[in-house]
Amino acid sequence: MTVVDIRSEQARVTDSYKNQVLFNINQECMRLSVFEGEYRWHHHPDSDELFLVVAGELQIDFEGGARVTLTDWQSMVVPAGSVHRTRAIGRTVNITFEKQGAQTVFVEPPPNRAKQRTAPGSDA
């Protein structure tokens, strides 16, 4: 049994992007992602992906133009096969849960413009 201090782990990250597996649980994994900027458009054909923002602001853009904004302690699930990209507004720390070894398929950016949508319970 291992105790991981997530606050300490994220504080040690000095790069603009780091995504690491903290735990494997059954057939799933829990990742710590600390980053700035945006990640490429992609999808996971065989795995849902749960995002939990610990600090900062994470925008998730979807094919078709929808955008969800998550802030501290907000969470959502991106269903398997959903084309999306994540964008950190400033330094953002989030925890993700997905299937171990989940396949990531990168795609060309969709031509649609994003529409702003805020996560339930936020003030925006």
Side-chain angles (χ1 to χ4, degrees), residues 8-87:
S8 294
E9 288 292 323
Q10 66 86 25
R12 283 196 272 278
V13 176
T14 58
D15 295 336
S16 62
Y17 178 83
K18 183 167 185 177
N19 188 349
Q20 66 187 56
V21 173
L22 296 179
F23 295 105
N24 288 309
I25 308 128
N26 300 317
Q27 283 72 47
E28 309 294 319
C29 67
M30 180 178 129
R31 295 177 171 274
L32 171 66
S33 180
V34 180
F35 74 109
E36 298 175 34
E38 66 183 46
Y39 194 68
R40 294 169 51 194
W41 286 97
H42 66 283
H43 66 93
H44 308 283
D46 61 346
S47 181
D48 294 339
E49 187 174 22
L50 182 144
F51 290 92
L52 169 63
V53 174
V54 175
E57 183 175 321
L58 181 70
Q59 292 182 339
I60 306 173
D61 296 325
F62 294 92
E63 181 177 47
R67 174 184 293 158
V68 173
T69 299
L70 302 174
T71 58
D72 296 6
W73 299 109
Q74 292 184 321
S75 183
M76 75 168 297
V77 173
V78 175
S82 299
V83 174
H84 65 286
R85 74 168 172 193
T86 52
R87 295 191 298 144

